[in-house]
Structure formats: C-alpha cells, structure tokens
Amino acid sequence: PVRIPEGTPVDEVIIGARSRTTELPASQPELGWVEDLLFDARREGARVFFKNNLRIKGPKEMPTGMK
C-alpha cells in the first residue's frame, strides 16, 4: 500500500486502476489502499481525482492546469 506521510507537501493525488498491458492484466486497487490515500490526501489538503477506470466512484477535482 501507498501512504502519504503526515506533513508531506502534496497538491494533488490521482488514483486509478492498472490498465491492461501486453504483460499484465488490468486490475483494481484494494479498497483499503484507495481509502487510505483519500484520507491522507484530505489530511494534507490535496485535491483528489479518481480516474474513470476505477470502479469506486469518488472525487473528480481536476489537477492543476486541466479543464
């Protein structure tokens, strides 16, 4: 799992599933990982964007410079 240590300067977090490649199948991250990242991002005041390939629906706060 990936965690954002408290006090880490982070502006945005983009969370998505792994896309299929020639070597690896598509897969979804564990729900706990997504929840932990969302919690950590909120704690640090970062924008959060859930990619469309993620089965879990969540925030779509656009990254800086995107519309």
Side-chain angles (χ1 to χ4, degrees):
V2 177
R3 296 300 305 254
I4 302 169
E6 193 166 345
T8 300
V10 59
D11 295 320
E12 4 188 83
V13 176
I14 300 172
I15 303 171
R18 182 177 68 199
S19 299
R20 182 180 59 82
T21 68
T22 56
E23 298 173 7
L24 297 170
S27 68
Q28 294 289 312
E30 294 180 25
L31 177 59
W33 294 7
V34 174
E35 291 174 334
D36 287 347
L37 277 173
L38 180 58
F39 175 84
D40 292 349
R42 291 292 188 232
R43 183 193 65 228
E44 299 306 319
R47 287 179 297 281
V48 178
F49 184 86
F50 279 23
K51 292 176 66 175
N52 292 334
N53 68 353
L54 196 62
R55 285 190 193 132
I56 304 161
K57 300 303 175 206
K60 297 268 188 202
E61 301 161 0
M62 297 305 284
T64 304
M66 293 185 72
K67 294 182 180 184

